[in-house]
Amino acid sequence: MTDKKNRTSIPKANKIRAELQKEISSICPFCDNSDVGHFEIHHIDENPANNEIDNLILLCPICHSKITKADIVQIEVFKKKISLLQHKDNKINSIKNAVNFNSKVDNAIVGDNINIAISHTKKIVKQKYPEGCIGFDTVKANYIGYLIKRYNEYKEYEVGKGQVNYAAFSAHLKKLYKIGPTRTLYNLQIEKFDELVNYIHLRIDKTKLAKIKGQGHKNYSCFLDYAT
Ligand SMILES: [Zn+2]
């Protein structure tokens, strides 16, 4: 029940859903069922605030519940998404290869001073986060993701496996830094990185599991170790 409450709605949900449905060709990518009344959206990193399309996968409700119960493990979901994305790229490539840009095109422009540019289909990597925020720095952004994951893992010890509300801690951090609902923690200014890191370190160190492990135990890699 708390799960639903903390779930942020996906911006442009219909458009994203349509794109995801195209990606799986309206067939559940896990069980190949094409007779699915309503496909469900799963957040691959289990962070419901991360609504980037690469973090979402559409699947049937049965397979979705299998993920929830860890009958399908996260790494399998990752692999599936990657293969769907590769399949998409292959489609683009086969279209590209079907069009012959050579010979005749070159002949046609002989003697022409106008520079004709043939644009190749390239995957355009959209810059998701502007310069100056944590998301712009991949290593720092990944480190924050790593720490949040570590916190949730430690919390899992306290409340039991499957009982951790993965959205809650990220939502708490967002609230702490007054980040609006349409933005993510990674929109936080890079100047706040150290402060955020120290705060999450502190929160991990204050968990029951950290206390049990004792002060000498390293509960996470420091940023320098992580980055190298
Ligand atoms: Zn399925």
Side-chain angles (χ1 to χ4, degrees), residues 17-198:
R17 174 175 283 278
E19 200 164 320
L20 289 171
Q21 188 143 351
K22 212 167 103 188
E23 183 179 272
I24 61 164
S25 311
S26 299
I27 299 165
C28 174
F30 294 94
C31 68
D32 294 333
N33 186 2
S34 58
D35 187 26
V36 179
H38 183 77
F39 282 104
E40 295 183 356
I41 293 178
H42 174 65
H43 290 78
I44 299 166
D45 72 351
E46 301 195 337
N47 171 8
N50 181 2
N51 292 319
E52 295 299 334
I53 194 149
D54 286 355
N55 186 44
L56 304 172
I57 191 165
L58 217 59
L59 74 180
C60 80
I62 296 164
C63 291
H64 200 186
S65 71
K66 280 185 187 165
I67 294 176
T68 316
K69 288 182 286 182
D71 287 342
I72 299 174
V73 293
Q74 197 181 38
I75 187 77
E76 291 304 320
V77 186
F78 270 117
K79 281 183 188 162
K80 190 62 82 177
K81 179 70 180 187
I82 287 164
S83 81
L84 289 171
L85 290 172
Q86 276 169 347
H87 186 71
K88 210 194 275 177
D89 278 353
N90 286 344
K91 263 195 216 161
I92 293 170
N93 279 330
S94 63
I95 294 166
K96 203 168 82 179
N97 293 337
V99 182
N100 187 0
F101 285 120
N102 302 320
S103 61
K104 282 181 183 160
V105 178
D106 285 339
N107 291 337
I109 58 166
V110 166
D112 197 337
N113 288 327
I114 303 163
N115 203 358
I116 295 176
I118 298 160
S119 62
H120 291 265
T121 323
K122 245 191 237 158
K123 198 179 171 199
I124 297 156
V125 181
K126 214 171 73 188
Q127 193 59 57
K128 288 165 190 161
Y129 293 97
E131 208 168 346
C133 63
I134 291 172
F136 189 77
D137 185 323
T138 315
V139 180
K140 285 188 173 170
N142 286 343
Y143 184 62
I144 297 296
Y146 157 78
L147 286 179
I148 292 173
K149 195 166 163 261
R150 183 46 61 96
Y151 172 83
N152 282 318
E153 282 165 4
Y154 269 58
K155 212 65 194 164
E156 202 153 56
Y157 174 85
E158 245 165 78
V159 295
K161 209 163 166 57
Q163 298 299 306
V164 175
N165 181 348
Y166 279 89
F169 190 54
S170 297
H172 163 74
L173 295 172
K174 273 182 76 178
K175 207 172 158 194
L176 195 70
Y177 283 99
K178 299 183 175 67
I179 296 165
T182 58
R183 318 186 107 206
T184 78
L185 188 60
Y186 303 104
N187 282 106
L188 189 67
Q189 309 93 285
I190 198 83
E191 291 79 27
K192 299 269 187 190
F193 176 75
D194 289 339
E195 187 189 311
L196 176 65
V197 164
N198 288 336

